[in-house]
Amino acid sequence: MSSSVPEHSAGPHAEAEPMAGQADALPAVAPRLRALRRQASLTLEAAARAAGLSPAHLSRLETGQRQPSLPMLLALARVYGTAVSELLGETVAGRDAVVRAADMEPTAAGGWTYWQAGASGRGMQALRVHVPYGSQSDIVRVHPGEEWLHVLRGRLRLRLGDAAHRLAPGDSAHFDSLTPHRIAAEDHDGVDLLFVHTLLQSPAAALCLGPTPGDVS
């Protein structure tokens, strides 16, 4: 995820122009990026390589000449061993570390049922998911981030790129979400999963369900 990456190379964190309005929304990110890199004792070249950026682009981010996209912020937070909220200078007070079973409200979408198993607003989201047999098994997902899943009950069919895997209870998978992937239940009773995703600030349904029919994968 060697040599430095060319500035205009495509990859998981392609160096696109900032989203509209983002430059005004992130005025103080640049000095934090530099301070956290130095705190991590990383050179500009090493940090850029680990985040999938070019040193020139990271330098522009640190001097405020460009604003980072959300996937870039997530990548840099991982490299520096911190949360995206720290890069943004945000603090969240009074957030509980424990989520009680009685407080997990089920939500149904696209045939799947999921329960929030972690606090909202974090750099990653944790879910408990029930995937019924035959539901959305034809949807291929490709998006930034990482996913980790663990089979609690039933059997899961997981396709990663050209490779097909069958996971039984107790099995896990951890993969880059830019790898085209497809999830389906093997058993008619469906499959229950623990599911963790690192895509910042995305609705839980979008994380685990992907596009609905008619949307672009």
Side-chain angles (χ1 to χ4, degrees):
M1 261 205 0
S2 321
S3 59
S4 59
V5 180
E7 183 173 357
H8 297 294
S9 64
H13 312 294
E15 298 161 7
E17 292 300 317
M19 295 183 297
Q22 197 174 34
D24 294 334
L26 303 175
V29 169
R32 292 191 193 95
L33 291 178
R34 175 171 290 175
L36 286 168
R37 175 175 61 78
R38 290 175 173 173
Q39 183 177 313
S41 300
L42 290 171
T43 65
L44 190 72
E45 291 75 13
R49 183 168 56 248
L53 303 172
S54 69
H57 192 84
L58 181 55
S59 177
R60 293 188 184 102
L61 296 179
E62 290 188 353
T63 56
Q65 297 176 50
R66 288 195 181 180
Q67 294 294 340
S69 65
L70 293 180
M72 287 180 193
L73 285 174
L74 182 56
L76 289 167
R78 289 194 198 118
V79 171
Y80 300 152
T82 188
V84 173
S85 58
E86 184 174 357
L87 296 183
L88 297 175
E90 297 175 350
T91 57
V92 180
R95 181 160 51 191
D96 291 335
V98 175
V99 180
R100 301 295 181 185
D103 296 329
M104 296 183 190
E105 293 291 335
T107 301
W112 292 17
T113 304
Y114 61 90
W115 295 257
Q116 286 280 4
S120 61
R122 299 282 191 182
M124 65 181 186
Q125 293 195 29
L127 307 168
R128 183 162 58 88
V129 183
H130 176 72
V131 181
Y133 182 79
S135 175
Q136 298 200 46
S137 59
D138 59 339
I139 293 178
V140 177
R141 299 164 177 80
V142 180
H143 46 84
E146 292 183 15
E147 293 182 36
W148 174 88
L149 58 84
H150 176 83
V151 181
L152 296 172
R153 184 188 65 84
R155 293 177 299 169
L156 178 73
R157 186 168 66 254
L158 171 67
R159 179 170 286 278
L160 294 174
D162 295 328
H165 307 273
R166 285 177 169 80
L167 281 67
D171 292 343
S172 300
H174 187 174
F175 53 92
D176 189 322
S177 304
L178 285 170
T179 302
H181 53 285
R182 181 184 298 176
I183 294 172
E186 282 273 287
D187 300 330
H188 286 273
D189 290 338
V191 60
D192 293 326
L193 309 172
L194 290 178
F195 182 93
V196 176
H197 199 290
T198 59
L199 186 58
L200 174 69
Q201 299 297 331
S202 292
L207 293 183
C208 68
L209 297 177
T212 55
D215 291 341
V216 177
S217 296

